[in-house]
Amino acid sequence: MSAPAPRSSSAPTARAARCGPSWAPGTGFTGSTYETAFALVDARIEGFLPPDQALYYQSPAGALVIVALPDGVFRFFSSLAPGEQVSVEKMQQIVDERGPQGVRITEPVWESVFRVHARHANDFQLGRVFIAGDAAHVHSPAGGQGLNTGLQDAHNLAWKIAAVVRGEAPSDLLLTYGPERAAVAERVVRDTDIQTRAWMVREPAKVALRDAAFRLVGRTGLFSRTYAPVMAGRRLAYPPVRPTQVPGGHTACQSLPGVRPVVRVGAVFPRELAVPHRIAGPAADPSRWTLLAVCRDGAPDWRRELSALVADRPQVRMADIAAGTARGLTGCRRQGYYLIRPDGHVAAHGHAQDVDRLRSELTTLLGDPAPQDPEPARGE
């Protein structure tokens, strides 16, 4: 979420885990540091606060965030005026001025003042070294996205390294980690920066506009429907980089965003379909790809054609779904396929006429198929 303020005006250096006693590669750390300091107090309380919610309070004096932690502890997080220091008394004053009534801070377990940065590494891969988590991006805790983003870095990288080490994919697969995760980090840093600056506005007109926006999303449920999936990483998508990842020709399922739900290449496959088909959830194999056949009227021939395409690729499992069932959540009504990565993102999508595209994608992503053992000659 945060890191110490840099000692000079030059950009600090992101460092990866050391591979030796005094060796660590470096890369630029692009971004800025907020002038405002923030106070944090973790404490037990007298009074009532919901044990399963994060509460946001806005006022012309600044923001106050209260987050429930385990064991009856609550985190109080607020901006500080220049020169102010954190203390229980100061945080209690902020709670009385900006937050819920009847809440008293009684047993502090942690106090801290910190500066917030909005930065990301220029490079997420340096040769054989990969950068992830706080070494790759630091930003405001607004929205609570830091932990999710770091874990998704690790998830993106882990299955790729495992596939290469097991010989199930070419080493070029590792080159996709940096571009994919750098784009995500840039967006998260930008989004949290916008939220944090909204917390700190002082001009009356901007305060009124911000507060009106918060009231609107609170009353209409827009937050849970639109931004909560963003916070959870469910809206992340890695844009396609090859024509063979998408259907050939003009297709409605890739050209009508916003008109109906559309699962685009690079997006996470819908959980409502992924869990029952063991693409996600406790029954999923975290190391295997899934080729999901979308079938109309059963279409056993179509499923057999796709099954034959991956018969010599043990890292790919087959599944099938009726086109009518898929349509409501994917936006595609045609017979076709989804090639889904071990991390649940759609690697490629196509229709019945796109088998050659799928074959090309499988070769690009997983290499040439394993050679089949020759049949023994008669009499052997």
Side-chain angles (χ1 to χ4, degrees):
M1 295 192 304
S2 62
R7 297 181 180 178
S8 68
S9 59
S10 60
T13 298
R15 294 197 176 274
R18 291 193 175 191
C19 297
S22 62
W23 179 85
T27 179
F29 217 32
T30 300
S32 60
T33 301
Y34 297 96
E35 295 182 3
T36 301
F38 293 83
L40 183 149
V41 173
D42 292 348
R44 292 181 174 84
I45 66 165
E46 290 180 356
F48 174 78
L49 288 171
D52 57 354
Q53 297 180 22
L55 307 176
Y56 291 78
Y57 298 91
Q58 307 283 355
S59 79
L64 169 66
V65 180
I66 305 176
V67 181
L69 300 179
D71 301 322
V73 175
F74 291 85
R75 171 161 294 175
F76 297 84
F77 165 80
S78 178
S79 54
L80 288 175
E84 287 185 331
Q85 297 296 317
V86 66
S87 67
V88 172
E89 293 76 15
K90 180 60 184 177
M91 187 59 73
Q92 184 66 61
Q93 178 186 343
I94 292 173
V95 171
D96 293 341
E97 292 175 348
R98 308 176 194 174
Q101 299 301 304
V103 173
R104 307 297 301 174
I105 300 174
T106 58
E107 298 179 46
V109 297
W110 178 259
E111 301 175 19
S112 179
V113 173
F114 62 95
R115 303 287 294 278
V116 172
H117 306 278
R119 298 184 181 275
H120 57 81
N122 292 351
D123 304 285
F124 279 45
Q125 179 180 358
L126 301 165
R128 295 169 61 87
V129 176
F130 299 87
I131 301 175
D134 287 352
H137 39 76
V138 291
H139 52 80
S140 164
Q145 295 188 67
L147 177 62
N148 281 346
T149 306
L151 288 174
Q152 288 155 3
D153 289 342
H155 191 193
N156 183 292
L157 182 59
W159 70 265
K160 293 175 181 177
I161 290 178
V164 172
V165 168
R166 289 195 296 260
E168 296 176 352
S171 59
D172 283 354
L173 180 65
L174 298 176
L175 299 178
T176 65
Y177 168 74
E180 287 184 353
R181 296 310 300 170
V184 170
E186 289 175 11
R187 194 181 81 177
V188 170
V189 168
R190 182 188 67 241
D191 289 352
T192 55
D193 179 59
I194 291 172
Q195 291 181 66
T196 304
R197 294 187 185 280
W199 285 357
M200 299 187 297
V201 297
R202 296 289 188 270
E203 298 87 344
K206 292 182 179 179
V207 169
L209 180 63
R210 177 200 65 194
D211 293 350
F214 270 82
R215 284 193 293 269
L216 175 65
V217 299
R219 292 171 181 170
T220 61
L222 282 174
F223 179 84
S224 60
R225 293 199 304 270
T226 59
Y227 193 66
V230 174
M231 291 171 57
R234 299 293 300 171
R235 295 284 176 85
L236 296 178
Y238 304 126
V241 295
R242 294 176 298 277
T244 48
Q245 290 180 263
V246 298
H250 178 80
T251 60
C253 64
Q254 296 293 301
S255 61
L256 296 174
V259 177
R260 59 173 180 265
V262 172
V263 175
R264 294 192 169 277
V265 171
V268 177
F269 197 70
R271 190 168 181 82
E272 297 91 332
L273 297 177
V275 171
H277 288 85
R278 296 189 292 124
I279 297 167
D285 185 336
S287 66
R288 299 187 75 184
W289 295 68
T290 300
L291 180 57
L292 184 66
V294 181
C295 304
R296 298 185 67 177
D297 304 322
D301 292 342
W302 174 238
R303 194 189 193 287
R304 281 196 294 269
E305 183 177 0
L306 293 181
S307 296
L309 200 60
V310 296
D312 49 3
R313 295 186 183 275
Q315 67 271 53
V316 182
R317 58 177 288 269
M318 278 293 304
D320 59 77
I321 187 172
T325 302
R327 177 185 175 186
L329 289 169
T330 67
C332 184
R333 68 181 71 186
R334 299 173 62 179
Q335 186 161 281
Y337 61 84
Y338 289 92
L339 178 62
I340 304 168
R341 306 177 349 171
D343 60 1
H345 287 258
V346 177
H349 168 53
H351 303 134
Q353 72 275 17
D354 296 318
V355 172
D356 287 342
R357 287 173 174 260
L358 175 58
R359 183 179 291 107
S360 175
E361 273 302 297
L362 289 168
T363 301
T364 298
L365 293 167
L366 305 177
D368 293 323
Q372 299 294 310
D373 292 332
E375 295 184 4
R378 291 182 179 180
E380 293 185 2

